[in-house]
Amino acid sequence: LNPIIIQISPGVYVENNSTGAFIITAEGISIIADSSTSVYIIPNTSATTLITANTAVKFVGITFRALAQTGTCITMSSGIINALINVTFSNFLVAAEFGGGALNLFLLSDCSFLSNATAIVVNNTNVKVSACNLFGDVVLSNPPVGVGISMSGSSSKVIVESCMIGGCVTGIMGVSNALCTTIGTVFRHNATSIIQTTASQFNLNSCNFQITDDTNDINVQISDTGTLTEIVGCSFNGKDDSGVSQATC
């Protein structure tokens, strides 16, 4: 192990990923910027993945922005502890995708996901999302678009804590035995805040479902044999901004 810190100064950096993703294979790399509002990284080929990390890595204080919603920003598939701290993702097909198995852990703290088709994808691994904002559309008065968090597989164990999820067609989706604990999170202006199928298991604790826009909106949708949901101390408010009742709980 040879720890390395890559410090990024303020600026807009257009990176050439036309021939493929930048691949991180060395352990102990931390990529740290001065501020997510002063450091912007833009792939010059939106349809190609920007970064693939095959070992533990830390990103701090960066804004990643795509010119078109056609590719993935970051794919991470290994490492005991990985971290994304104060990172902003904007306008990607998939902002961040995590996998690699039950021994990996990915920590996201104080991140913003803005106008991505899907903000976070979890495939059979452990992810904790804390104090993050996930908005399908940053203008919440617009029709909802995109997915906040999509998780699948029996090794997917996800914690969502103190987040805001809004403006999405689907806030959180769990399928194929995925496990999710959601604590103190606010859902607003989503078409469907929670969708569970195929034996996924969720615990919703102290969450707030508020401000809906359409009579077809649904807060929690559960289907299929073996699918379980425990709801503890949550608040459900189906009214819109004008106080008119809209959604289905």
Side-chain angles (χ1 to χ4, degrees):
L1 179 64
N2 181 28
I4 296 172
I5 294 178
I6 300 173
Q7 189 77 38
I8 306 177
S9 299
V12 177
Y13 301 88
V14 179
E15 300 298 331
N16 184 3
N17 65 325
S18 59
T19 59
F22 295 95
I23 301 175
I24 299 173
T25 58
E27 292 186 40
I29 292 180
S30 297
I31 302 174
I32 300 175
D34 289 340
S35 167
S36 63
T37 59
S38 64
V39 174
Y40 295 83
I41 295 178
I42 301 171
N44 74 346
T45 305
S46 297
T48 301
T49 298
L50 178 59
I51 297 171
T52 297
N54 296 326
T55 188
V57 64
K58 177 186 289 185
F59 293 91
V60 181
I62 302 169
T63 289
F64 295 100
R65 179 175 294 173
L67 300 177
Q69 208 178 72
T70 53
T72 299
C73 181
I74 294 179
T75 298
M76 306 176 79
S77 60
S78 187
I80 301 301
I81 299 179
N82 299 262
L84 300 172
I85 302 171
N86 190 26
V87 177
T88 297
F89 301 86
S90 178
N91 205 41
F92 289 91
L93 182 67
V94 175
E97 184 170 359
F98 306 103
L103 298 180
N104 298 330
L105 174 61
F106 303 91
L107 304 176
L108 290 75
S109 178
D110 197 28
C111 294
S112 294
F113 297 83
L114 310 174
S115 300
N116 303 286
T118 300
I120 298 170
V121 174
V122 181
N123 293 312
N124 280 309
T125 196
N126 303 291
V127 177
K128 183 177 182 182
V129 186
S130 300
C132 293
N133 296 310
L134 300 90
F135 294 109
D137 194 313
V138 294
V139 181
L140 293 180
S141 59
N142 289 341
V145 294
V147 177
I149 304 173
S150 175
M151 63 191 74
S152 64
S154 59
S155 294
S156 286
K157 296 176 177 61
V158 180
I159 296 174
V160 181
E161 184 177 21
S162 301
C163 293
M164 170 80 77
I165 301 176
C168 297
V169 171
T170 304
I172 301 178
M173 175 181 290
V175 303
S176 302
N177 302 101
L179 303 179
C180 180
T181 298
T182 303
I183 305 167
T185 291
V186 175
F187 298 85
R188 58 173 58 179
H189 294 285
N190 300 301
T192 304
S193 291
I194 303 285
I195 293 180
Q196 288 182 249
T197 67
T198 51
S200 62
Q201 298 183 33
F202 278 33
N203 177 283
L204 306 176
N205 197 315
S206 302
C207 294
N208 194 336
F209 297 81
Q210 57 181 239
I211 309 180
T212 58
D213 302 299
D214 191 275
T215 55
N216 294 317
D217 290 350
I218 299 172
N219 287 324
V220 181
Q221 180 176 303
I222 308 161
S223 62
D224 295 331
T225 301
T227 303
L228 300 175
T229 305
E230 181 180 21
I231 300 175
V232 180
C234 294
S235 173
F236 295 88
N237 182 355
K239 295 181 179 180
D240 62 17
D241 288 312
S242 301
V244 177
S245 297
Q246 297 284 358
T248 298
C249 182

